[in-house]
Amino acid sequence: MEIGTPETVKEVLINADQLRSRVAELGAQITADYDGKNPLFVCILKGAVMFLTDLLKNVNIPSQVDFMQVSSYGGATESSGIVKIIKDLDISAEGRHVVIVEDIVDTGITMKHLIELLSARRPASLNICALLDKKERRLVEIPLTYVGFEIPNAFVVGYGLDYAEYYRNLPFIGVLDPQVYRS
Ligand code: PRP
């Protein structure tokens, strides 16, 4: 099996139409909740990029966006538990209504570290918007304000999510054939 090819995705979990309509709902909800608050969206690279761009097209209030990159997985399919900051924010989070935009919350370890890090900068508020919630894998409790979809414990790719940097370009969320990462 060649990595990145369509036959290595064994099932479509969330199709493009489902993504479009749920992301539009989340954008509308955030627009209503943050009216007059000038939110700062903090997109967690790289997986959340596709979600962020679609989400922001549905946010119709003054707002700003910045990016952070942290690393917990490396090349592995399981979190190492070690979270390293690769890129920090350019815009100060102090006094801002911050919305962390993340593609997936799995064990929650990455998000726990991000919450600690950003809380220390004294934002006016801090909420999380995650496209996917893989709840059954959670090791630490994380308060998620906005969730796109709860998903089962499968290795998912597409719509920004990768395996070995492949599959981010898929317009849907699919389940990766385990043969790809077992071989
Ligand atoms: C993924 C995802 C989260 C984290 C979730 O990032 O985007 O940041 O793992 O896992 P956890 O809840 O178990 O901590 P990854 O390290 O794969 O980086 P990427 O977004 O650049 O692909």
Side-chain angles (χ1 to χ4, degrees):
M1 278 189 145
E2 193 193 337
I3 192 166
T5 54
E7 63 268 21
T8 56
V9 180
K10 65 171 188 178
E11 176 196 342
V12 176
L13 193 64
I14 308 166
N15 68 34
D17 280 342
Q18 292 171 306
L19 285 166
R20 210 174 357 258
S21 68
R22 184 67 188 124
V23 172
E25 283 175 4
L26 289 174
Q29 207 183 330
I30 289 171
T31 299
D33 293 351
Y34 284 85
D35 189 20
K37 290 186 168 171
N38 188 20
L40 173 62
F41 292 98
V42 173
C43 173
I44 310 304
L45 296 170
K46 302 175 191 174
V49 164
M50 212 179 275
F51 175 42
L52 173 91
T53 55
D54 285 347
L55 181 72
L56 290 194
K57 285 179 236 172
N58 292 282
V59 171
N60 303 312
I61 48 171
S63 59
Q64 292 178 312
V65 62
D66 203 352
F67 298 86
M68 277 186 87
Q69 187 166 19
V70 294
S71 165
S72 60
Y73 275 41
T77 54
E78 297 283 320
S79 177
S80 61
I82 299 160
V83 174
K84 188 172 84 182
I85 299 179
I86 297 170
K87 188 220 172 286
D88 207 338
L89 295 176
D90 296 322
I91 300 173
S92 170
E94 192 178 346
R96 299 298 304 270
H97 292 282
V98 172
V99 181
I100 300 176
V101 179
E102 182 59 290
D103 54 350
I104 185 166
V105 179
D106 189 333
T107 64
I109 289 169
T110 306
M111 194 52 78
K112 179 177 175 272
H113 282 81
L114 281 167
I115 291 168
E116 282 170 8
L117 192 90
L118 291 173
S119 299
R121 298 178 186 182
R122 300 173 189 279
S125 66
L126 181 61
N127 281 308
I128 298 157
C129 178
L131 178 66
L132 305 176
D133 181 5
K134 205 190 267 187
K135 233 181 189 161
E136 62 187 89
R137 290 253 311 160
R138 201 75 92 253
L139 295 177
V140 284
E141 206 184 312
I142 301 291
L144 297 179
T145 306
Y146 306 98
V147 172
F149 303 88
E150 258 184 49
I151 60 162
N153 184 15
F155 197 95
V156 289
V157 293
Y159 198 68
L161 287 90
D162 77 310
Y163 172 65
E165 300 298 334
Y166 288 90
Y167 304 99
R168 295 195 197 273
N169 55 312
L170 298 179
F172 57 86
I173 302 281
V175 178
L176 190 62
D177 191 321
Q179 284 186 59
V180 176
Y181 52 86
R182 282 192 194 134
S183 59

